[in-house]
Amino acid sequence: MLFRRRAASMLMFIRRLLYFALVCGLLWLLWLGLRGVMSTGEDNQAVKVLNEFYTMEQSGNFGGSWELFHSQMKKKFEKSTYVQQRAHVFMQDMGTDTFTFELGEPQTEYDIRTDQDGEEVGKAYRIKVTQHYKTRFGTFDIVQPCYVTQEGEEWRVLWIYKEKE
């Protein structure tokens, strides 16, 4: 009789432990899912804007891509100067009409500056961009870390300029 009570008690304990483990596992999966959904939205927006930027650059629409720059970048380049210099360097000097590109995975960074004197930008996504060129000088890649951040309601592109060491 005592053995049956202990066995029933042990069985009840094991059941409760399994239920607890099941509830904890479900809560953990729910947390992971919610975390993924919340962060993926901004990540996707950042990648989408950077993809749009380089798609415009790829087709030679440098004026359109300039419009996606953050205001700090627009201070560095007047629109007409940017359009002329990009077209000159890539199309005339290198002898290429277009390029292909790849975007890396977005990584969250905080408090970045375009240069040492620039204002800090809060949250930004760092995305490595690799541009593949076939030119009259051969094929080569340009790898550049780019940043995408929200400015007001819009997502904007930034490049970082560090002092030479």
Side-chain angles (χ1 to χ4, degrees), residues 94-163:
M94 292 183 358
T96 185
D97 292 340
T98 190
F99 58 90
T100 59
F101 66 94
E102 298 171 33
L103 302 180
E105 291 296 318
Q107 298 174 347
T108 307
E109 291 193 15
Y110 294 91
D111 302 327
I112 62 164
R113 297 173 189 258
T114 54
D115 55 33
Q116 289 181 335
D117 300 327
E119 291 181 32
E120 282 188 355
V121 175
K123 182 179 181 181
Y125 291 95
R126 182 180 195 265
I127 304 169
K128 183 175 83 172
V129 178
T130 305
Q131 297 170 277
H132 308 283
Y133 288 92
K134 292 181 180 176
T135 74
R136 65 176 155 225
F137 304 109
T139 59
F140 60 93
D141 296 338
I142 295 178
V143 179
Q144 180 181 25
C146 294
Y147 293 82
V148 181
T149 188
Q150 236 177 334
E151 187 173 35
E153 296 294 317
E154 301 294 325
W155 288 90
R156 299 293 182 201
V157 176
L158 283 161
W159 294 333
I160 303 300
Y161 296 85
K162 293 187 178 181
E163 291 291 320

Side-chain angles (χ1 to χ4, degrees), residues 9-152:
S9 175
M10 184 61 98
L11 189 59
M12 187 67 130
F13 175 75
I14 291 173
R15 259 192 205 151
R16 287 182 181 163
L17 189 62
L18 287 174
Y19 285 136
F20 179 75
L22 180 65
V23 168
C24 286
L26 289 174
L27 287 174
W28 181 68
L29 289 173
L30 179 64
W31 179 77
L32 284 177
L34 288 175
R35 193 180 108 203
V37 167
M38 290 182 345
S39 68
T40 306
E42 283 190 348
D43 292 5
N44 285 342
Q45 284 293 94
V47 170
K48 181 181 173 186
V49 167
L50 197 58
N51 187 60
E52 185 179 349
F53 179 88
Y54 279 100
T55 299
M56 285 187 211
E57 294 264 305
Q58 190 178 44
S59 67
N61 182 3
F62 302 117
S65 61
W66 184 89
E67 293 294 334
L68 293 176
F69 271 147
H70 189 274
S71 61
Q72 290 183 28
M73 291 298 298
K74 289 180 178 180
K75 288 178 188 174
K76 283 194 167 293
F77 301 107
E78 288 185 24
K79 187 175 183 177
S80 60
T81 304
Y82 179 79
V83 170
Q84 288 174 350
Q85 287 180 348
R86 292 293 274 194
H88 181 78
V89 168
F90 292 110
M91 293 180 172
Q92 292 173 7
D93 288 348
M94 292 183 358
T96 185
D97 292 340
T98 190
F99 58 90
T100 59
F101 66 94
E102 298 171 33
L103 302 180
E105 291 296 318
Q107 298 174 347
T108 307
E109 291 193 15
Y110 294 91
D111 302 327
I112 62 164
R113 297 173 189 258
T114 54
D115 55 33
Q116 289 181 335
D117 300 327
E119 291 181 32
E120 282 188 355
V121 175
K123 182 179 181 181
Y125 291 95
R126 182 180 195 265
I127 304 169
K128 183 175 83 172
V129 178
T130 305
Q131 297 170 277
H132 308 283
Y133 288 92
K134 292 181 180 176
T135 74
R136 65 176 155 225
F137 304 109
T139 59
F140 60 93
D141 296 338
I142 295 178
V143 179
Q144 180 181 25
C146 294
Y147 293 82
V148 181
T149 188
Q150 236 177 334
E151 187 173 35

